[in-house]
Amino acid sequence: MKDSSIFLKAIPIIETIQQHGYEAYFVGGAVRDYFLHRPVHDVDIATSALPNEVMAIFSDTIPLATEHGTVIVRYKKEQYEVTTFRKEEAYIDFRHPEKVQFIRRLEEDLKRRDFTMNALAMTSQFEVIDLFLGKTDIKTKLIRTVGNPDDRFQEDPLRIMRAVRFISQLCFQLEKKTKQAMRRQKEKLAYISVERISQEMDRLWLGPCVSQALTAMKELQLFSVLPGAKWMTDTIILRFDGFEQCETVEQAWTLFAYIAQVSNLSTFLRTWKFSRERMKKVTILYEGIKAYQDASFSDYDRFRLGKTFLLDVVRLYAILSNKKVETCIRREATLFDALPIKHEKELVITAKEMIEIVQKKPGPWIRECQKEIIQGILDKKIENDYHTLKEWINRWHQH
Ligand code: ATP
Ligand code: MG
């Protein structure tokens, strides 16, 4: 079933622009997804009106990137990106177009778009303007550049990453000439910032056809031009289907680092310029798999990781060792649920109380003592009850 609700809601925006004498259409990913019967989340509108003209028409607008032609129009609690038809000229350093030229014709605007499936426009009457046979490519699930593929990838090499990301998300294939050009132009990805490449990878990881996308990347030897994965082309022996069983981007990046046999994880993480939070998560998962593989976990390891990380580690371990993910996870979840203490917060005695009991200045001894208590509780040698712990701490202190 096609999901037209979001377009219907936005019709008044298009019609209002038209009433002021300009053209306006639905464009981009929303139109593509509509014909793919995929859920549509946000619609983009392209118009012949200039940004200041759009702002003059609507009362509630936010100039988002007016130099690129985009104004946000707020209407009935929704936000719409309304972008002036534009033509992009000569890219500097392959990064940004030297100048964006606003134009009054839809055709030119559609021509600058990356792939035929993304170059459809649709009127408020749901009539499609399809200048590059995008609908046929959608039907046959083909990713094909608008115009000469070598030129288009040279202009903006990020499109190479967008193409593989779309393989993963849409389960499409690369049209032959598009694929050949990607192979020829892949070195130009070196001009694209790591952040933009990793953003595309994040989307790729979670697509339903991630292994198809990775297989294409391997065939095209794209790994050798990615930051921090240069060694992968040769060493990788791999089956990519494990990535289909990852549920989060952190799991996928960990699996990627593991399979790629990175020599130094923190260098890998820094090369990809991840956020501190992501670096921390991936490091925990990565170290976790290593520990799990050496010897299975102790209850203290389970406690220390916490349920979420524990089950993530077990998932990755199962993927890497070809075991059934669900079975391994169920087993570990049962073991975790049976722990007599699952989180430090459950300790009935606080650090402040510990200081009062032993009458000693705070210091590293607190952590050490807590660690021993927890270990004792996990081993079922100590009960997590205030008086027992108080006595235990006193004895520990005099020891
Ligand atoms: P998604 O559904 O993931 O948002 P999308 O196709 O909508 O995918 P956006 O990045 O939101 O992708 O871009 C909106 C539209 O802008 C695209 O459909 C395409 O027409 C055009 N576009 C985006 N990036 C590029 C690019 N690098 N080169 C050419 N056209 C682009
Ligand atoms: Mg989009």
Side-chain angles (χ1 to χ4, degrees):
M1 262 283 285
K2 288 200 198 108
D3 174 14
S4 53
S5 56
I6 192 159
F7 295 102
L8 294 172
K9 266 185 163 172
I11 287 177
I13 307 271
I14 294 208
E15 291 186 338
T16 308
I17 298 175
Q18 288 170 337
Q19 280 153 18
H20 285 78
Y22 306 103
E23 287 178 42
Y25 303 88
F26 295 118
V27 287
V31 183
R32 175 199 70 221
D33 288 344
Y34 175 67
F35 287 107
L36 275 169
H37 300 207
R38 277 162 53 90
V40 179
H41 301 290
D42 42 23
V43 299
D44 291 328
I45 293 169
T47 179
S48 59
L50 295 169
N52 56 0
E53 292 167 337
V54 174
M55 288 195 281
I57 296 174
F58 297 97
S59 56
D60 196 359
T61 58
I62 309 167
L64 178 68
T66 43
E67 70 283 9
H68 290 112
T70 306
V71 172
I72 289 181
V73 174
R74 288 203 287 209
Y75 174 74
K76 289 201 176 162
K77 297 198 178 130
E78 301 286 346
Q79 298 201 354
Y80 299 94
E81 279 190 19
V82 179
T83 305
T84 306
F85 294 158
R86 62 189 208 203
K87 185 172 159 179
E88 277 153 16
E89 297 195 333
Y91 280 64
I92 330 166
D93 302 338
F94 304 99
R95 272 165 233 231
H96 300 293
E98 190 165 6
K99 64 174 198 265
V100 174
Q101 199 184 324
F102 296 137
I103 46 177
R104 297 283 184 182
R105 281 188 52 202
L106 172 70
E107 186 184 338
E108 288 290 324
D109 182 84
L110 296 180
K111 236 162 113 181
R112 67 148 176 112
R113 293 174 184 270
D114 49 3
F115 305 112
T116 58
M117 62 184 182
N118 290 339
L120 297 172
M122 192 166 79
T123 68
S124 57
Q125 306 302 308
F126 289 74
E127 293 152 344
V128 179
I129 295 130
D130 178 9
L131 306 176
F132 311 101
L133 302 179
K135 270 188 85 173
T136 313
D137 285 337
I138 287 176
K139 265 203 198 92
T140 50
K141 297 182 175 288
L142 275 184
I143 300 169
R144 182 199 309 269
T145 54
V146 171
N148 178 307
D150 281 285
D151 294 348
R152 303 313 309 281
F153 291 127
Q154 260 181 43
E155 250 170 39
D156 180 3
L158 184 71
R159 291 172 187 153
I160 297 172
M161 289 308 298
R162 283 177 57 87
V164 288
R165 180 259 279 200
F166 284 124
I167 299 181
S168 177
Q169 288 184 317
L170 307 176
C171 304
F172 276 34
Q173 293 193 329
L174 298 170
E175 176 271 330
K176 200 166 155 210
K177 292 209 168 85
T178 299
K179 187 170 179 178
Q180 288 167 343
M182 282 166 75
R183 195 190 301 276
R184 283 191 290 266
Q185 304 302 333
K186 62 170 188 277
E187 310 286 339
K188 314 253 174 6
L189 267 174
Y191 297 99
I192 299 294
S193 76
V194 217
E195 290 91 335
R196 296 180 76 203
I197 294 176
S198 87
Q199 244 175 35
E200 294 301 329
M201 287 303 291
D202 279 358
R203 293 173 172 163
L204 181 147
W205 293 133
L206 299 183
C209 286
V210 53
S211 80
Q212 201 174 306
L214 292 170
T215 307
M217 287 181 72
K218 188 179 174 184
E219 264 176 54
L220 292 168
Q221 299 187 333
L222 280 193
F223 292 119
S224 61
V225 289
L226 292 191
K230 294 201 182 348
W231 62 89
M232 274 191 68
T233 356
D234 308 319
T235 56
I236 209 156
I237 343 144
L238 121 74
R239 306 166 33 216
F240 290 116
D241 49 346
F243 286 93
E244 279 165 19
Q245 300 186 74
C246 289
E247 289 178 324
T248 63
V249 288
E250 285 80 14
Q251 287 173 13
W253 281 112
T254 309
L255 188 60
F256 183 63
Y258 211 89
I259 287 173
Q261 300 177 328
V262 296
S263 48
N264 183 317
L265 182 69
S266 76
T267 312
F268 173 84
L269 299 173
R270 267 182 280 118
T271 311
W272 279 96
K273 298 196 181 160
F274 290 142
S275 68
R276 255 171 215 289
E277 198 193 340
R278 179 173 292 181
M279 287 197 196
K280 213 173 118 191
K281 283 188 180 166
V282 174
T283 307
I284 292 174
L285 295 179
Y286 190 87
E287 298 300 335
I289 310 173
K290 280 214 298 213
Y292 202 79
Q293 256 160 354
D294 291 344
S296 109
F297 279 167
S298 65
D299 279 347
Y300 192 76
D301 293 327
R302 295 191 174 93
F303 169 87
R304 212 171 31 98
L305 277 169
K307 194 166 184 176
T308 308
F309 279 128
L310 172 67
L311 299 189
D312 282 5
V313 167
V314 171
R315 171 178 295 274
L316 292 170
Y317 166 78
I319 292 172
L320 284 163
S321 48
N322 261 322
K323 298 207 163 87
K324 261 206 137 91
V325 171
E326 296 315 320
T327 318
C328 294
I329 284 188
R330 218 175 310 125
R331 186 178 151 263
E332 276 300 332
T334 311
L335 289 170
F336 184 87
D337 293 340
L339 295 180
I341 183 168
K342 298 177 183 65
H343 197 281
E344 254 175 54
K345 280 189 291 199
E346 290 173 23
L347 212 56
V348 295
I349 214 153
T350 63
K352 209 173 135 210
E353 286 163 340
M354 287 165 68
I355 294 164
E356 276 165 20
I357 293 167
V358 302
Q359 295 288 319
K360 200 172 148 182
K361 270 201 217 143
W365 67 269
I366 298 180
R367 279 232 81 11
E368 216 169 287
C369 183
Q370 279 174 335
K371 205 176 147 186
E372 280 192 44
I373 296 173
I374 289 165
Q375 184 73 62
I377 298 174
L378 289 168
D379 293 343
K380 305 210 172 75
K381 287 184 186 144
I382 312 174
E383 271 216 48
N384 188 15
D385 130 302
Y386 187 82
H387 288 288
T388 318
L389 293 184
K390 191 174 165 186
E391 255 176 52
W392 190 91
I393 290 166
N394 260 324
R395 257 186 287 128
W396 181 83
H397 172 56
Q398 284 154 20
H399 201 61

